[in-house]
Amino acid sequence: MTAENRTVVVTGIGAFTPLGGDAASFWEGLMEGRSGVAVLTEEWAADLPVRIAARTAVEPGDVLPRPLARKLDRSAQFALIAAREAWADAGFETPATDESSKLAPERLGAVIASGIGGVTTLLDQYDVLKEKGVRKVSPHTVPMLMPNSPAANVGLEVGARAGVHTPVSACASGAEAIGYAIEMIRTGRADVVVAGGTEAAIHPLPIVAFSNMMAMSKNNENPQQASRPYDKARDGFVLGEGAGVVVLESAEHAAARGARVYCEAVGQGLSSDAHHIAQPEPTGSGVARAIAQLFEQNDLDKADIVHVNAHATSTPQGDLAEIKALRKELGEHLDHVAVSATKSMTGHLLGGAGGIETVATVLALHHRLAPPTVNLDDPDPEIEADIVQGEPRKLPEGRIAALNNSFGFGGHNVVLAFRTI
Amino acid sequence: MATKDEVLTGLADIVNEIAGIPVEDVEVDKSFTDDLDVDSLSMVEVVVAAEEKFDVKIPDDEVKNLKTVGDAVNYILANAA
């Protein structure tokens, strides 16, 4: 291996999600086919067109000490909790900046993305300004609302000095962060990178704004059935919140310290649609180009792909375009691929989606089990793919690989690939 | 008009709320930044909370002079309405 093309592996995972407050409970929820969606009980939700969402299973304020939590936007709270779990899971006991650390901080990076950033801080502090005046606006507002705040806080937490980054590409942000981190290691900029996505946008303004785009499910009467990717009755996404973070590491570095390795992070495929600011390209051609690029630029066999954690947000157009793209690039092999739409359980975490779905993909390879897609009562006949329904699906023995797809408003397409070691 | 002890206790509650420092550790000779984990941003919060609690105006120019808890107590005692 040259220094410019190093193998990257996953050595730690962390998740703070609507199904559970850590990676283990998140996985358990996925295996049980549990929905994290519920009716919003806040007073402000009562008159909204959409009154359902997937809140995190655990309140971050119950995990973080109050003096720390009050200086962090909810999105950064999620990211910090998930990053701490991933960091410890990778076997690191101290920040890299500690004298006792064997990891040089100059070789450690952090790439944490968010689609919208500190939107609740921004809006809440504007309310403070209007209602209580200039003096009451928190001096922490700017460091809380800036979109790079989760990345910066995770970087501070682990002592990252190789670079802290925040790619922003709406709902592809989390996946783009992980792809960026893979490249940082592959090209030799860092040996270890903490990477993932986070989002905390459950607030009346984003909900109404998405709803007015006709993007969200209004199935307020049946919250747990509202997110139904690939079902004929799908009518939009359900907003979720949370964070998923992984520790990526050069294979060499992981081996040298005897780290437990979940799987290889093979690489990414990227493209953009140049089609519409919010609509998916209906034939899936942009997504197909991202998948094609993944295979062109990485040493990855199509025949090894046995599982796809699909983007599948439960919108009529998007779910179908993605399957068309997979069919175009994988051809008949797609019939042997177990496709899972985990947003049927978690809702759509926007910039956090790529984070938690990468954790789900890594665990699917690790346990050799594909999560079910719930609420698929009446499958759309146009969806010509093997969607995992009901029970989790056993994945084959031997060398297997999986894709994690994420796409964002603006026409961003990110496909990540992982493979067993 | 608050007494010196009342101001100290009140400040200790504020520092506890903002920085999580136990109230008994907030003593007159303690430095906000060096001893009590109150950075420049959190100091603004302490000042705003103190202004409200003790009905006193603490101008921005004055904040840099409030290095210790004792400095703040004395300023508040001298300037409270």
Side-chain angles (χ1 to χ4, degrees):
Chain A
M1 276 293 149
T2 66
E4 288 74 36
N5 197 17
R6 307 192 304 167
T7 300
V8 181
V9 294
V10 179
T11 55
I13 54 172
F16 196 73
T17 78
L19 303 186
D22 57 20
S25 56
F26 171 48
W27 181 249
E28 201 178 278
L30 291 176
M31 290 297 100
E32 288 168 1
R34 191 148 42 79
S35 169
V37 184
V39 172
L40 289 166
T41 52
E42 290 89 341
E43 208 176 304
W44 54 252
D47 296 323
L48 298 189
V50 171
R51 298 184 295 280
I52 54 175
R55 285 275 191 205
T56 52
V58 177
E59 263 306 301
D62 294 340
V63 180
L64 296 173
R66 198 168 43 91
L68 175 60
R70 64 198 298 282
K71 292 194 284 190
L72 298 175
D73 180 78
R74 194 170 168 88
S75 63
Q77 295 174 1
F78 296 159
L80 190 63
I81 294 168
R84 282 179 173 180
E85 184 192 1
W87 187 246
D89 187 50
F92 293 110
E93 286 164 8
T94 63
T97 39
D98 263 29
E99 271 180 27
S100 63
S101 170
K102 293 189 183 78
L103 173 62
E106 292 76 18
R107 301 296 303 160
L108 172 66
V111 189
I112 308 286
S114 162
I116 313 187
V119 63
T120 58
T121 294
L122 176 66
L123 295 167
D124 289 349
Q125 290 298 314
Y126 187 53
D127 289 344
V128 169
L129 174 62
K130 285 187 296 179
E131 289 159 18
K132 297 179 180 168
V134 170
R135 200 70 175 147
K136 285 291 188 178
V137 172
S138 169
H140 302 291
T141 303
V142 170
M144 286 171 75
L145 69 81
M146 57 193 197
N148 55 316
S149 181
N153 278 289
V154 168
L156 281 167
E157 174 80 11
V158 298
R161 288 181 177 157
V164 170
H165 305 282
T166 305
V168 178
S169 50
C171 305
S173 303
E176 198 168 325
I178 291 165
Y180 190 104
I182 293 171
E183 293 303 319
M184 279 179 82
I185 297 169
R186 175 180 280 183
T187 56
R189 268 186 67 198
D191 292 325
V192 180
V193 180
V194 181
T198 185
E199 204 77 76
I202 298 177
H203 176 286
L205 186 77
I207 289 176
V208 168
F210 278 122
S211 171
N212 285 356
M213 294 177 82
M214 317 287 273
M216 294 180 97
S217 171
K218 296 187 177 73
N219 195 349
N220 296 308
E221 285 67 41
N222 306 291
Q224 303 214 330
Q225 283 78 48
S227 184
R228 42 195 317 114
Y230 308 131
D231 187 89
K232 264 187 187 168
R234 65 189 187 275
D235 67 339
F237 76 87
V238 174
L239 185 58
E241 62 171 7
V245 173
V246 292
V247 174
L248 298 168
E249 191 162 354
S250 81
E252 203 179 347
H253 192 273
R257 69 181 185 93
R260 178 265 329 273
V261 172
Y262 284 99
C263 64
E264 181 185 352
V266 179
Q268 63 178 346
L270 300 171
S271 75
S272 47
D273 285 348
H275 170 71
H276 188 273
I277 193 64
Q279 297 292 329
E281 199 288 315
T283 68
S285 65
V287 173
R289 277 185 292 107
I291 298 170
Q293 193 206 58
L294 171 78
F295 287 110
E296 282 159 20
Q297 299 192 352
N298 294 280
D299 180 19
L300 177 66
D301 285 338
K302 281 182 191 175
D304 285 343
I305 308 291
V306 296
H307 171 53
V308 174
N309 188 307
H311 185 61
T313 62
S314 184
T315 61
Q317 277 200 22
D319 291 11
L320 183 56
E322 180 180 12
I323 294 297
K324 284 180 181 169
L326 285 166
R327 178 61 71 182
K328 179 168 186 288
E329 293 305 317
L330 297 180
E332 284 184 7
H333 180 68
L334 183 60
D335 296 333
H336 308 288
V337 174
V339 177
S340 302
T342 49
K343 288 186 183 77
S344 61
M345 296 168 273
T346 63
H348 187 359
L349 274 64
L350 311 178
I356 67 164
E357 286 157 24
T358 286
V359 171
T361 308
V362 166
L363 285 173
L365 289 177
H366 184 68
H367 296 297
R368 291 179 190 268
L369 283 169
T373 302
V374 304
N375 298 327
L376 188 45
D377 302 326
D378 188 9
D380 180 344
E382 285 197 81
I383 301 290
E384 293 177 354
D386 181 7
I387 313 297
V388 182
Q389 302 177 56
E391 295 297 304
R393 174 90 55 85
K394 185 88 187 80
L395 296 174
E397 294 304 314
R399 188 174 77 166
I400 56 173
L403 306 183
N404 173 22
N405 291 345
S406 293
F407 320 126
F409 282 173
H412 314 272
N413 306 306
V414 181
V415 179
L416 300 174
F418 301 89
R419 179 168 56 200
T420 54
I421 294 294
Chain B
M1 189 72 195
T3 67
K4 188 172 181 178
D5 276 353
E6 284 167 351
V7 172
L8 179 61
T9 306
L11 273 175
D13 287 342
I14 290 169
V15 171
N16 173 258
E17 166 74 20
I18 288 166
I21 303 292
V23 286
E24 59 271 23
D25 292 349
V26 182
E27 298 166 320
V28 285
D29 58 340
K30 292 284 175 68
S31 154
F32 285 108
T33 46
D34 299 341
D35 302 322
L36 300 178
D37 206 21
V38 177
D39 64 12
S40 60
L41 297 184
S42 296
M43 190 63 194
V44 177
E45 287 188 287
V46 170
V47 164
V48 171
E51 284 186 333
E52 188 158 276
K53 191 165 211 148
F54 303 113
D55 193 18
V56 61
K57 282 272 167 277
I58 307 176
D60 289 351
D61 288 350
E62 195 60 46
V63 175
K64 64 179 183 299
N65 300 325
L66 307 180
K67 304 244 186 277
T68 66
V69 174
D71 295 339
V73 171
N74 291 336
Y75 184 89
I76 290 163
L77 286 172
N79 293 279

